[in-house]
């Protein structure tokens, strides 16, 4: 057990990610926006994570997405920061800027403000890129968690991202992104 302040379900998911990727011989990286490093924090709670965890890039501002991950300004201007196109570019950037085999990106609107009719609070977009995969195969999904509150949205997003970091994560993403009910 850890003396972490992070929820146990997050630590348990991170432990599974580290163990399964270690067994598969894979290295992982995350590009986080709305989760602000929560996924990276969970992964680094696990002793020995350096065998697997290559990098966590928190790119909250659009300038950071462009400068650190190579997201094109026209992608951000055309589709917005919370879009499949941006998440995909972030995931690609995570594997291009690191030595990771798998890169997962998370971008969304955790609230309480910032939402719109088309992208309400609780909208989170995920993408998964693989160094061995075809860069033209977009593996991404958009989820609507609803206005659960900032902390709960970030937790659900982090749990989904951890699922996507598993080596066995399905190419379609749908089932891997089914959020779990928040712990009561």
């Amino acid at each position: 057990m850890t003396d972490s302040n992070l929820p146990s379900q997050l630590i348990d998911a991170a432990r599974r990610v580290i163990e399964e990727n270690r067994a598969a011989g894979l290295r992982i990286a995350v590009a986080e926006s709305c989760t602000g490093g929560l996924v990276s924090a969970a992964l680094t709670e696990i002793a020995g994570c350096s065998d697997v965890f290559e990098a966590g890039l928190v790119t909250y501002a659009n300038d950071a997405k462009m400068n650190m991950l190579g997201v094109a300004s026209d992608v951000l201007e055309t589709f917005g920061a919370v879009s499949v196109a941006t998440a995909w570019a972030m995931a690609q950037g995570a594997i291009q800027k690191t030595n990771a085999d798998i890169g997962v990106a998370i971008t969304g609107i955790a609230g309480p403000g910032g939402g719109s009719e088309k992208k309400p609070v609780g909208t989170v977009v995920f993408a998964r890129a693989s160094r061995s995969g075809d860069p033209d195969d977009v593996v991404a999904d958009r989820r609507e968690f609803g206005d659960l509150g900032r902390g709960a949205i970030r937790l659900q997003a982090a749990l989904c991202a951890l699922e996507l970091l598993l080596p066995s994560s399905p190419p379609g993403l749908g089932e891997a992104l089914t959020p779990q009910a928040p712990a009561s």
Side-chain angles (χ1 to χ4, degrees):
M1 296 315 257
T2 68
D3 55 0
S4 173
N5 291 328
L6 296 174
S8 61
Q9 68 184 130
L10 200 58
I11 301 299
D12 293 344
R15 181 174 291 107
R16 184 174 166 214
V17 166
I18 296 298
E19 290 171 356
E20 290 189 22
N21 279 289
R22 181 183 290 127
L26 297 172
R27 296 196 52 83
I28 59 173
V30 292
E32 300 184 67
S33 186
C34 66
T35 49
L38 188 57
V39 177
S40 298
L43 291 167
T44 57
E45 283 290 328
I46 309 306
C49 67
S50 59
D51 295 347
V52 171
F53 185 46
E54 177 79 23
L57 300 123
V58 178
T59 55
Y60 210 75
N62 286 349
D63 282 347
K65 289 173 180 66
M66 292 185 293
N67 296 330
M68 295 172 65
L69 295 169
V71 177
S73 61
D74 61 335
V75 168
L76 288 161
E77 290 165 13
T78 304
F79 301 103
V82 181
S83 65
V84 166
T86 296
W88 179 238
M90 289 171 65
Q92 286 292 322
I95 58 171
Q96 290 166 4
K97 303 285 184 181
T98 70
N99 292 318
D101 301 297
I102 297 170
V104 167
I106 312 105
T107 183
I109 304 163
S116 68
E117 190 175 321
K118 288 186 177 181
K119 295 178 187 175
V121 169
T123 302
V124 182
V125 183
F126 301 87
R128 182 180 199 266
S130 170
R131 185 168 300 281
S132 62
D134 181 345
D136 293 330
D137 273 344
V138 176
V139 181
D141 200 9
R142 174 179 157 151
R143 306 299 283 189
E144 303 284 344
F145 293 115
D147 194 353
L148 307 171
R150 188 171 180 84
I153 292 166
R154 291 176 71 230
L155 174 60
Q156 290 304 314
L159 288 167
C160 286
L162 287 165
E163 283 289 320
L164 290 177
L165 284 165
L166 292 169
S168 59
S169 186
L173 297 194
E175 296 203 358
L177 292 178
T178 303
Q180 300 174 359
S184 47

